[in-house]
Amino acid sequence: MATRIHKAGDKIAGRYEIEKYIGEGGMQEVYKANDLAFNRFVAVKVPKNPSATKRFRRSAEMSAKVNHPNVAKTLDYLETKNAFYLVEEFINGADLQKRLNTEFLYLDPHLAAHVLHHVAKGVAACHHVDVFHRDLKPSNMMVSGDPSVRVLKLTDFGIAKMTQAEIDEAMEGAEGGDTQTITGSQTVVGALPYMAPELIQDSKNATKAADIWSLGAILFYLLCGEKPFGSGLAVIAKILKEELPAKESLFKNPNSQFSPLLDELWVIIEQCMQKKADARPTADQLVQKLSAICYSTAERQLGVIYNYKVQQAPWGFIRTADMDNYFFHKSSFYGANPSDGGKVNFAPFLGKPNARAFPVLPLKG
């Protein structure tokens, strides 16, 4: 295991006491710390690359311009003992990619619309103050751990310039025949599946429209569990040359209850992922489009399927940890085939003789 910059108990500037290491990305390490001045938990971010510290400071100043419920608040910036620190509000949860890796196979259209709507609001707020993220992806979205994903905040606007600098360096190396500069970079590999064509071809002249492309790619991924052009080095040529995969890639079942919302979300994906940057909607226009869509925001619960009567009729029951029981029909299930013992995320509703569940989203495990 690589040596970490800090350990539990370390104090930064006499004010921030490290409680534990949270994780890291290609450009930074992240810690949970106690702000001794205000008796609150905060997230402390430290750049791993000393040569990137100047960009870290400049970008931190830019991220501090943004004040929106869907963007993690920048609270402080420190330089002490030749180290650099960005302090943000602490979100009790995990990044969206971790939840996708460990919990979700994909999201049903209602939950996906909810997530993208809030992400788009955060992006719009940033664009209003001329902050261009450049590295939008699920791992840069902190979400609460509840089944409804009620809290969602964009992070790492403060390292966007650092990320883009590493991407530019890797691309220049690849043009010279050194593909290891891409395949060996965690930052670049993670960014590529959501990267707009102009960021690959001419990043210095890319505009905020590149963030909109990324939102379309993220929505595609949320709905089907697969990235629109795949992953790895091969994705570069596909993004530049190939058309968006067929709409059918999104469908996890033929259930008509999901079709109208899927159709509307597919239109948004197509609009966001236009090859020409000026053909895409602005962030404000995207928020308006998502606001006009009717999707359920009902509170979600977790449960397990039991007594699914596939031989008699396509319906069964869901039992929660509190031993509550909910009826569901296969047409409410966003997946191929329900089965007894399957874990699910669902929204409960009153009904007779049994309470009902819709939508029902299969989970991993």
Side-chain angles (χ1 to χ4, degrees):
M1 183 174 64
T3 302
R4 292 171 184 163
I5 298 170
H6 285 287
K7 63 181 183 300
D10 286 354
K11 288 184 180 179
I12 300 166
R15 174 174 174 176
Y16 302 105
E17 183 174 5
I18 300 297
E19 179 175 280
K20 67 177 182 178
Y21 169 81
I22 296 176
E24 65 181 272
M27 305 300 294
Q28 63 181 348
E29 288 187 356
V30 185
Y31 297 86
K32 180 181 180 181
N34 184 19
D35 179 352
L36 301 175
F38 290 106
N39 191 27
R40 62 181 177 182
F41 288 120
V42 295
V44 175
K45 299 184 175 183
V46 192
K48 294 194 297 183
N49 181 357
S51 66
T53 53
K54 185 179 293 185
R55 294 193 197 95
F56 192 70
R57 176 178 182 174
R58 184 171 63 243
S59 298
E61 291 170 351
M62 291 190 66
S63 65
K65 297 178 182 179
V66 187
N67 184 16
H68 189 273
N70 294 121
V71 178
K73 291 184 178 67
T74 298
L75 302 175
D76 201 356
Y77 175 78
L78 311 173
E79 295 182 12
T80 176
K81 295 182 180 179
N82 297 318
F84 299 77
Y85 302 94
L86 176 63
V87 182
E88 290 184 350
E89 68 171 308
F90 178 76
I91 295 103
N92 190 18
D95 68 65
L96 182 56
Q97 187 62 63
K98 286 181 181 177
R99 289 200 67 182
L100 291 166
N101 290 344
T102 61
E103 180 180 352
F104 295 110
L105 297 160
Y106 39 76
L107 303 186
D108 63 79
H110 296 274
L111 194 54
H114 159 74
V115 168
L116 196 80
H117 195 179
H118 287 277
V119 173
K121 289 178 181 179
V123 171
C126 295
H127 287 187
H128 290 168
V129 292
D130 292 327
V131 175
F132 172 14
H133 194 288
R134 299 172 179 267
D135 189 28
L136 288 171
K137 55 190 177 185
S139 61
N140 283 340
M141 301 172 186
M142 291 298 298
V143 297
S144 52
D146 60 288
S148 306
V149 194
R150 284 298 178 202
V151 178
L152 191 150
K153 294 177 183 283
L154 297 178
T155 65
D156 290 348
F157 281 82
I159 64 164
K161 294 286 186 180
M162 294 164 59
T163 300
Q164 191 58 49
E166 183 172 336
I167 290 169
D168 291 345
E169 182 179 345
M171 292 300 179
E172 289 171 5
E175 289 173 1
D178 180 15
T179 57
Q180 292 300 315
T181 57
I182 290 181
T183 57
S185 169
Q186 178 184 347
T187 300
V188 178
V189 170
L192 279 175
Y194 311 100
M195 193 179 295
E198 63 270 23
L199 274 177
I200 295 173
Q201 293 178 308
D202 184 15
S203 65
K204 291 180 176 60
N205 291 314
T207 66
K208 298 170 190 172
D211 282 347
I212 305 304
W213 168 285
S214 298
L215 292 178
I218 289 167
L219 179 56
F220 186 104
Y221 176 47
L222 294 180
L223 286 168
C224 66
E226 298 176 5
K227 300 174 182 72
F229 294 101
S231 302
L233 192 59
V235 76
I236 296 175
K238 291 180 179 180
I239 289 174
L240 295 178
K241 297 179 181 179
E242 293 188 10
E243 296 299 319
L244 193 65
K247 176 183 175 183
E248 287 68 29
S249 303
L250 292 177
F251 287 83
K252 292 300 174 184
N253 62 17
N255 294 341
S256 60
Q257 288 200 68
F258 296 107
S259 295
L261 181 53
L262 274 172
D263 289 345
E264 291 181 285
L265 294 177
W266 178 254
V267 170
I268 286 176
I269 289 171
E270 288 185 317
Q271 292 173 339
C272 290
M273 299 186 72
Q274 291 291 312
K275 286 289 199 298
K276 293 183 178 180
D278 59 4
R280 301 169 203 154
T282 64
D284 282 333
Q285 289 170 339
L286 179 57
V287 170
Q288 291 173 0
K289 292 175 185 292
L290 289 162
S291 297
I293 288 178
C294 182
Y295 63 88
S296 172
T297 58
E299 200 73 25
R300 303 278 184 120
Q301 294 187 28
L302 301 179
V304 177
I305 294 174
Y306 76 98
N307 202 22
Y308 182 65
K309 301 182 180 297
V310 66
Q311 301 299 327
Q312 302 176 28
W315 54 267
F317 294 89
I318 298 170
R319 179 176 288 126
T320 68
D322 295 330
M323 303 305 290
D324 294 326
N325 298 297
Y326 297 88
F327 170 85
F328 80 98
H329 190 274
K330 184 183 177 183
S331 62
S332 299
F333 186 83
Y334 188 67
N337 292 296
S339 61
D340 282 353
K343 296 180 180 179
V344 292
N345 171 306
F346 70 98
F349 293 92
L350 295 176
K352 291 185 179 180
N354 294 96
R356 307 300 175 94
F358 176 84
V360 181
L361 174 67
L363 300 174
K364 291 181 177 178

